[in-house]
Amino acid sequence: MIHLTESAATHIRNFLENRGKGEGIRIGVKTSGCSGLAYVLEFVDEIESHDQIFEQHGVKVFIDPKSLVYLDGLEMDYAKTGLNEGFEFSNPNQKGECGCGESFTV
């Protein structure tokens, strides 16, 4: 299960409306950084047959089965703190992260 906060869902809906098309977003992981894995976000225009689909607050989130192993239980938020803003991930599978916060381990 993936959980989107209302703030994250609102931000994603705005992106999709400004873009003018899209079924939702895909969250995945890729090998990257000094800790091993990094989050990947991309728009979904065509649904893949193997996608797991989660819908909250009117937003569809697509995850491939390989990434779901690392992302099950993920909470995704959108926060603005001072001059910084962006998506924040709270992942119960995460055991550590690199010093710069760009990658994580499970």
Side-chain angles (χ1 to χ4, degrees), residues 29-91:
V29 294
K30 68 176 183 173
T31 303
S32 179
C34 44
S35 286
L37 297 171
Y39 297 106
V40 177
L41 297 173
E42 60 188 14
F43 293 111
V44 174
D45 291 328
E46 293 184 27
I47 300 169
E48 301 290 331
S49 62
H50 61 274
D51 282 336
Q52 296 289 318
I53 304 170
F54 302 92
E55 186 169 355
Q56 290 185 327
H57 309 291
V59 172
K60 290 181 183 174
V61 176
F62 300 85
I63 301 181
D64 67 90
K66 290 180 183 177
S67 294
L68 186 58
V69 172
Y70 302 107
L71 300 176
D72 193 27
L74 178 77
E75 178 179 276
M76 185 171 151
D77 191 14
Y78 189 85
K80 184 173 183 179
T81 307
L83 298 175
N84 297 318
E85 63 182 292
F87 290 108
E88 296 179 347
F89 302 93
S90 178
N91 187 341

Side-chain angles (χ1 to χ4, degrees), residues 81-106:
T81 307
L83 298 175
N84 297 318
E85 63 182 292
F87 290 108
E88 296 179 347
F89 302 93
S90 178
N91 187 341
N93 304 301
Q94 181 176 321
K95 302 301 180 209
E97 66 183 358
C98 66
C100 63
E102 293 295 318
S103 61
F104 66 98
T105 59
V106 292

